[in-house]
Amino acid sequence: MPSGVPFDRQWVYVLEDGRPVIDWGDDLLQDILNGEFINSNRGDGHPIRDDELEMLQRAGRVERFDSRHVYVFALPERPRPTIE
């Protein structure tokens, strides 16, 4: 059983500068390698390929992947607005 957090593969892609990211919606992306959050539009990248996911596995950021899901090890939580 996988211990990584599953993400639909459609939300995982690579930016033009080579950074692998998860798309959280509302123009918020998260770099899979360092956990950094990025404000950007999805239009500037390509769907992640198997060879790119294999590199992330070797780097210890992705547990496993298949044609539908990518299982990512722990990342910092998405920022959320605080209640005043």
Side-chain angles (χ1 to χ4, degrees), residues 1-9 12 32 48-50 52-73:
M1 175 176 271
S3 63
V5 177
F7 290 92
D8 282 352
R9 196 159 168 167
V12 181
I32 295 173
I48 197 158
R49 300 184 312 256
D50 285 351
E52 294 164 328
L53 285 166
E54 288 169 1
M55 182 268 311
L56 290 171
Q57 268 187 314
R58 288 190 301 273
R61 302 306 303 155
V62 167
E63 179 186 12
R64 71 181 188 94
F65 61 92
D66 57 34
S67 62
R68 296 186 59 210
H69 295 100
V70 176
Y71 295 85
V72 178
F73 288 117

Side-chain angles (χ1 to χ4, degrees), residues 1-81:
M1 175 176 271
S3 63
V5 177
F7 290 92
D8 282 352
R9 196 159 168 167
Q10 68 180 341
W11 304 117
V12 181
Y13 61 99
V14 178
L15 298 176
E16 287 180 355
D17 64 7
R19 288 185 289 179
V21 296
I22 296 169
D23 187 343
W24 287 102
D26 297 328
D27 296 329
L28 183 65
L29 309 176
Q30 187 173 20
D31 188 317
I32 295 173
L33 287 173
N34 63 21
E36 174 186 332
F37 288 93
I38 307 159
N39 290 315
S40 179
N41 292 331
R42 184 182 168 125
D44 57 353
H46 67 268
I48 197 158
R49 300 184 312 256
D50 285 351
D51 63 319
E52 294 164 328
L53 285 166
E54 288 169 1
M55 182 268 311
L56 290 171
Q57 268 187 314
R58 288 190 301 273
R61 302 306 303 155
V62 167
E63 179 186 12
R64 71 181 188 94
F65 61 92
D66 57 34
S67 62
R68 296 186 59 210
H69 295 100
V70 176
Y71 295 85
V72 178
F73 288 117
L75 289 170
E77 287 191 30
R78 179 181 178 182
R80 299 186 188 268

